[in-house]
mmCIF file of all heavy atoms in Angstrom:
data_model
loop_
_atom_site.group_PDB
_atom_site.id
_atom_site.type_symbol
_atom_site.label_atom_id
_atom_site.label_comp_id
_atom_site.label_asym_id
_atom_site.label_seq_id
_atom_site.Cartn_x
_atom_site.Cartn_y
_atom_site.Cartn_z
ATOM 1 N N GLN P 2 5.415 -34.678 82.779
ATOM 2 C CA GLN P 2 6.215 -35.142 83.929
ATOM 3 C C GLN P 2 6.355 -33.802 84.875
ATOM 4 O O GLN P 2 6.151 -32.611 84.434
ATOM 5 C CB GLN P 2 7.697 -35.445 83.453
ATOM 6 C CG GLN P 2 7.576 -36.759 82.722
ATOM 7 C CD GLN P 2 8.819 -37.290 82.237
ATOM 8 O OE1 GLN P 2 9.905 -36.604 82.396
ATOM 9 N NE2 GLN P 2 8.917 -38.488 81.948
ATOM 10 N N VAL P 21 23.383 -38.119 69.745
ATOM 11 C CA VAL P 21 24.343 -37.084 69.998
ATOM 12 C C VAL P 21 24.808 -36.192 68.774
ATOM 13 O O VAL P 21 24.537 -35.067 68.634
ATOM 14 C CB VAL P 21 25.505 -37.694 70.554
ATOM 15 C CG1 VAL P 21 26.577 -36.597 70.986
ATOM 16 C CG2 VAL P 21 25.154 -38.511 71.855
ATOM 17 N N SER P 25 24.147 -35.558 58.494
ATOM 18 C CA SER P 25 23.393 -34.645 57.844
ATOM 19 C C SER P 25 23.414 -34.653 56.275
ATOM 20 O O SER P 25 24.515 -34.701 55.817
ATOM 21 C CB SER P 25 23.652 -33.291 58.424
ATOM 22 O OG SER P 25 22.926 -32.322 57.676
ATOM 23 N N TYR P 28 25.161 -31.222 53.457
ATOM 24 C CA TYR P 28 26.294 -31.039 52.495
ATOM 25 C C TYR P 28 25.822 -30.665 51.227
ATOM 26 O O TYR P 28 26.417 -29.989 50.389
ATOM 27 C CB TYR P 28 27.168 -32.336 52.535
ATOM 28 C CG TYR P 28 26.512 -33.551 51.974
ATOM 29 C CD1 TYR P 28 26.375 -33.806 50.532
ATOM 30 C CD2 TYR P 28 25.917 -34.480 52.845
ATOM 31 C CE1 TYR P 28 25.745 -34.918 50.072
ATOM 32 C CE2 TYR P 28 25.322 -35.617 52.351
ATOM 33 C CZ TYR P 28 25.202 -35.849 51.018
ATOM 34 O OH TYR P 28 24.527 -36.868 50.561
ATOM 35 N N LYS P 30 23.865 -28.392 50.676
ATOM 36 C CA LYS P 30 23.720 -26.962 50.766
ATOM 37 C C LYS P 30 25.233 -26.280 51.094
ATOM 38 O O LYS P 30 25.316 -25.085 51.427
ATOM 39 C CB LYS P 30 22.798 -26.410 51.671
ATOM 40 C CG LYS P 30 21.345 -26.691 51.203
ATOM 41 C CD LYS P 30 20.378 -26.127 52.142
ATOM 42 C CE LYS P 30 18.997 -25.956 51.512
ATOM 43 N NZ LYS P 30 18.006 -25.175 52.294
ATOM 44 N N TYR P 51 10.526 -25.333 58.314
ATOM 45 C CA TYR P 51 10.318 -26.728 57.885
ATOM 46 C C TYR P 51 10.428 -27.907 58.921
ATOM 47 O O TYR P 51 10.049 -28.907 58.776
ATOM 48 C CB TYR P 51 11.152 -27.098 56.704
ATOM 49 C CG TYR P 51 12.524 -27.282 57.256
ATOM 50 C CD1 TYR P 51 13.102 -28.407 57.356
ATOM 51 C CD2 TYR P 51 13.464 -26.095 57.365
ATOM 52 C CE1 TYR P 51 14.439 -28.786 57.889
ATOM 53 C CE2 TYR P 51 14.724 -26.374 57.907
ATOM 54 C CZ TYR P 51 15.212 -27.685 58.178
ATOM 55 O OH TYR P 51 16.410 -27.874 58.760
ATOM 56 N N ALA P 66 3.747 -35.357 73.445
ATOM 57 C CA ALA P 66 2.612 -35.294 74.317
ATOM 58 C C ALA P 66 2.978 -35.688 75.769
ATOM 59 O O ALA P 66 2.535 -34.878 76.663
ATOM 60 C CB ALA P 66 1.494 -36.330 73.818
ATOM 61 N N ALA P 70 2.796 -31.957 76.720
ATOM 62 C CA ALA P 70 1.415 -31.943 76.371
ATOM 63 C C ALA P 70 1.093 -31.314 75.078
ATOM 64 O O ALA P 70 0.062 -30.597 74.836
ATOM 65 C CB ALA P 70 0.623 -31.030 77.492
ATOM 66 N N TYR P 84 14.870 -29.513 76.189
ATOM 67 C CA TYR P 84 16.376 -29.500 76.200
ATOM 68 C C TYR P 84 17.021 -30.761 76.156
ATOM 69 O O TYR P 84 16.569 -31.780 76.715
ATOM 70 C CB TYR P 84 16.824 -28.654 77.379
ATOM 71 C CG TYR P 84 16.203 -27.222 77.471
ATOM 72 C CD1 TYR P 84 15.123 -27.070 78.263
ATOM 73 C CD2 TYR P 84 16.718 -26.192 76.848
ATOM 74 C CE1 TYR P 84 14.442 -25.810 78.312
ATOM 75 C CE2 TYR P 84 16.236 -24.894 77.059
ATOM 76 C CZ TYR P 84 15.122 -24.774 77.788
ATOM 77 O OH TYR P 84 14.525 -23.537 77.857
ATOM 78 N N GLN P 100 36.091 -43.276 65.471
ATOM 79 C CA GLN P 100 37.239 -43.828 64.762
ATOM 80 C C GLN P 100 37.233 -43.217 63.344
ATOM 81 O O GLN P 100 38.397 -43.096 62.480
ATOM 82 C CB GLN P 100 37.324 -45.272 64.639
ATOM 83 C CG GLN P 100 37.700 -45.977 65.903
ATOM 84 C CD GLN P 100 39.109 -45.583 66.383
ATOM 85 O OE1 GLN P 100 40.035 -45.599 65.623
ATOM 86 N NE2 GLN P 100 39.249 -45.178 67.693
ATOM 87 N N LEU P 114 25.719 -26.417 64.474
ATOM 88 C CA LEU P 114 24.653 -26.209 65.536
ATOM 89 C C LEU P 114 23.837 -25.073 65.237
ATOM 90 O O LEU P 114 24.494 -23.939 65.139
ATOM 91 C CB LEU P 114 25.398 -26.083 66.918
ATOM 92 C CG LEU P 114 26.067 -27.251 67.555
ATOM 93 C CD1 LEU P 114 27.619 -27.197 67.060
ATOM 94 C CD2 LEU P 114 25.826 -27.155 69.062
ATOM 95 N N GLN P 170 46.500 -24.121 60.650
ATOM 96 C CA GLN P 170 45.754 -24.657 59.558
ATOM 97 C C GLN P 170 45.488 -23.370 58.627
ATOM 98 O O GLN P 170 45.494 -22.327 58.901
ATOM 99 C CB GLN P 170 44.330 -25.172 60.026
ATOM 100 C CG GLN P 170 44.422 -26.146 61.045
ATOM 101 C CD GLN P 170 43.525 -27.389 60.520
ATOM 102 O OE1 GLN P 170 43.322 -27.534 59.331
ATOM 103 N NE2 GLN P 170 43.039 -28.132 61.461
ATOM 104 N N LEU P 174 38.598 -23.256 62.369
ATOM 105 C CA LEU P 174 37.580 -24.334 62.918
ATOM 106 C C LEU P 174 36.363 -23.753 63.188
ATOM 107 O O LEU P 174 35.357 -24.668 63.555
ATOM 108 C CB LEU P 174 38.162 -24.906 64.311
ATOM 109 C CG LEU P 174 39.403 -25.883 64.056
ATOM 110 C CD1 LEU P 174 40.228 -26.047 65.386
ATOM 111 C CD2 LEU P 174 38.892 -27.271 63.662
ATOM 112 N N VAL P 189 8.974 -9.061 59.400
ATOM 113 C CA VAL P 189 9.794 -10.132 60.074
ATOM 114 C C VAL P 189 9.051 -10.587 61.306
ATOM 115 O O VAL P 189 8.858 -11.688 61.624
ATOM 116 C CB VAL P 189 11.199 -9.707 60.433
ATOM 117 C CG1 VAL P 189 11.928 -10.695 61.309
ATOM 118 C CG2 VAL P 189 12.036 -9.536 59.151
ATOM 119 N N GLY P 195 8.707 -14.983 67.305
ATOM 120 C CA GLY P 195 9.445 -14.940 68.590
ATOM 121 C C GLY P 195 11.017 -14.664 68.344
ATOM 122 O O GLY P 195 11.746 -14.718 69.291
ATOM 123 N N ALA P 201 19.139 -6.482 65.440
ATOM 124 C CA ALA P 201 19.966 -7.086 66.511
ATOM 125 C C ALA P 201 20.771 -8.280 66.036
ATOM 126 O O ALA P 201 21.984 -8.382 66.576
ATOM 127 C CB ALA P 201 18.924 -7.510 67.600
ATOM 128 N N TYR P 224 11.649 -12.871 51.382
ATOM 129 C CA TYR P 224 10.084 -12.662 51.218
ATOM 130 C C TYR P 224 9.832 -12.203 49.816
ATOM 131 O O TYR P 224 10.546 -11.399 49.171
ATOM 132 C CB TYR P 224 9.593 -11.651 52.175
ATOM 133 C CG TYR P 224 9.979 -11.907 53.665
ATOM 134 C CD1 TYR P 224 10.631 -13.010 54.106
ATOM 135 C CD2 TYR P 224 9.390 -11.218 54.704
ATOM 136 C CE1 TYR P 224 10.897 -13.255 55.466
ATOM 137 C CE2 TYR P 224 9.730 -11.374 55.999
ATOM 138 C CZ TYR P 224 10.397 -12.446 56.421
ATOM 139 O OH TYR P 224 10.679 -12.678 57.817
ATOM 140 N N LEU P 236 22.683 -6.678 50.906
ATOM 141 C CA LEU P 236 24.052 -7.114 50.516
ATOM 142 C C LEU P 236 25.154 -6.138 50.842
ATOM 143 O O LEU P 236 26.255 -6.518 51.155
ATOM 144 C CB LEU P 236 24.139 -7.634 49.100
ATOM 145 C CG LEU P 236 23.430 -8.913 48.902
ATOM 146 C CD1 LEU P 236 22.681 -9.077 47.612
ATOM 147 C CD2 LEU P 236 24.282 -10.182 49.225
ATOM 148 N N GLU P 250 18.344 -18.036 49.551
ATOM 149 C CA GLU P 250 17.269 -18.908 49.213
ATOM 150 C C GLU P 250 16.019 -18.167 49.149
ATOM 151 O O GLU P 250 15.613 -17.530 50.299
ATOM 152 C CB GLU P 250 17.201 -20.129 50.116
ATOM 153 C CG GLU P 250 16.129 -21.110 49.866
ATOM 154 C CD GLU P 250 16.193 -22.315 50.795
ATOM 155 O OE1 GLU P 250 16.288 -22.194 51.948
ATOM 156 O OE2 GLU P 250 16.125 -23.430 50.269
ATOM 157 N N GLN P 260 0.188 -22.342 54.849
ATOM 158 C CA GLN P 260 -1.004 -21.437 54.964
ATOM 159 C C GLN P 260 -0.912 -20.849 56.329
ATOM 160 O O GLN P 260 -1.418 -19.658 56.420
ATOM 161 C CB GLN P 260 -2.201 -22.524 54.951
ATOM 162 C CG GLN P 260 -3.580 -21.821 55.042
ATOM 163 C CD GLN P 260 -3.828 -20.719 53.845
ATOM 164 O OE1 GLN P 260 -3.610 -21.087 52.786
ATOM 165 N NE2 GLN P 260 -4.315 -19.574 54.204
ATOM 166 N N GLU P 268 -3.027 -11.779 59.736
ATOM 167 C CA GLU P 268 -3.392 -11.363 61.165
ATOM 168 C C GLU P 268 -2.659 -10.292 61.754
ATOM 169 O O GLU P 268 -3.008 -9.462 62.478
ATOM 170 C CB GLU P 268 -3.269 -12.581 62.133
ATOM 171 C CG GLU P 268 -4.478 -13.475 62.049
ATOM 172 C CD GLU P 268 -4.238 -14.969 62.483
ATOM 173 O OE1 GLU P 268 -3.184 -15.055 63.342
ATOM 174 O OE2 GLU P 268 -4.878 -15.918 62.108
ATOM 175 N N ARG P 285 2.137 -21.387 40.409
ATOM 176 C CA ARG P 285 3.479 -21.889 40.340
ATOM 177 C C ARG P 285 4.404 -21.202 39.352
ATOM 178 O O ARG P 285 5.635 -20.898 39.649
ATOM 179 C CB ARG P 285 3.393 -23.434 39.758
ATOM 180 C CG ARG P 285 4.696 -24.133 39.841
ATOM 181 C CD ARG P 285 4.504 -25.437 39.085
ATOM 182 N NE ARG P 285 5.712 -26.115 38.790
ATOM 183 C CZ ARG P 285 6.405 -27.038 39.600
ATOM 184 N NH1 ARG P 285 5.640 -27.493 40.711
ATOM 185 N NH2 ARG P 285 7.406 -27.622 39.340
ATOM 186 N N GLU P 286 3.940 -20.700 38.340
ATOM 187 C CA GLU P 286 4.821 -19.934 37.356
ATOM 188 C C GLU P 286 5.234 -18.585 38.037
ATOM 189 O O GLU P 286 6.343 -18.103 38.022
ATOM 190 C CB GLU P 286 3.963 -19.525 36.174
ATOM 191 C CG GLU P 286 4.172 -20.472 34.955
ATOM 192 C CD GLU P 286 3.369 -19.986 33.751
ATOM 193 O OE1 GLU P 286 3.367 -18.844 33.422
ATOM 194 O OE2 GLU P 286 2.900 -21.043 33.133
ATOM 195 N N LYS P 294 14.169 -14.377 39.791
ATOM 196 C CA LYS P 294 14.419 -12.838 39.843
ATOM 197 C C LYS P 294 15.213 -12.543 41.157
ATOM 198 O O LYS P 294 16.286 -11.949 41.074
ATOM 199 C CB LYS P 294 13.167 -12.157 39.916
ATOM 200 C CG LYS P 294 13.174 -10.661 39.887
ATOM 201 C CD LYS P 294 11.866 -10.104 39.848
ATOM 202 C CE LYS P 294 11.017 -10.264 41.143
ATOM 203 N NZ LYS P 294 9.589 -9.957 41.181
ATOM 204 N N GLN P 295 14.860 -13.235 42.309
ATOM 205 C CA GLN P 295 15.507 -12.764 43.544
ATOM 206 C C GLN P 295 17.011 -13.425 43.503
ATOM 207 O O GLN P 295 17.882 -12.881 44.079
ATOM 208 C CB GLN P 295 14.682 -13.274 44.690
ATOM 209 C CG GLN P 295 13.477 -12.422 44.954
ATOM 210 C CD GLN P 295 13.028 -12.346 46.400
ATOM 211 O OE1 GLN P 295 13.437 -13.229 47.267
ATOM 212 N NE2 GLN P 295 12.253 -11.417 46.840
ATOM 213 N N VAL P 308 30.753 -9.378 47.747
ATOM 214 C CA VAL P 308 30.482 -10.348 48.746
ATOM 215 C C VAL P 308 30.102 -11.638 47.943
ATOM 216 O O VAL P 308 29.372 -11.609 47.073
ATOM 217 C CB VAL P 308 29.431 -9.995 49.759
ATOM 218 C CG1 VAL P 308 28.117 -9.579 49.138
ATOM 219 C CG2 VAL P 308 29.210 -10.924 50.841
ATOM 220 N N SER P 321 11.603 -26.504 36.253
ATOM 221 C CA SER P 321 10.647 -25.686 35.647
ATOM 222 C C SER P 321 11.267 -24.818 34.652
ATOM 223 O O SER P 321 10.502 -24.001 33.958
ATOM 224 C CB SER P 321 9.732 -24.806 36.675
ATOM 225 O OG SER P 321 9.190 -25.561 37.570
ATOM 226 N N VAL P 337 30.926 -25.370 45.892
ATOM 227 C CA VAL P 337 31.282 -25.496 47.290
ATOM 228 C C VAL P 337 31.459 -24.090 47.849
ATOM 229 O O VAL P 337 31.976 -23.121 46.979
ATOM 230 C CB VAL P 337 32.773 -26.136 47.363
ATOM 231 C CG1 VAL P 337 33.306 -26.249 48.931
ATOM 232 C CG2 VAL P 337 32.735 -27.548 46.695
#
Side-chain angles (χ1 to χ4, degrees):
Q2 293 184 349
V21 177
S25 169
Y28 59 85
K30 291 188 160 184
Y51 72 94
Y84 303 93
Q100 292 300 313
L114 289 97
Q170 297 235 29
L174 281 164
V189 171
Y224 303 2
L236 285 153
E250 182 176 43
Q260 188 57 46
E268 277 159 28
R285 190 187 163 96
E286 267 180 40
K294 182 178 67 188
Q295 289 204 341
V308 60
S321 307
V337 179

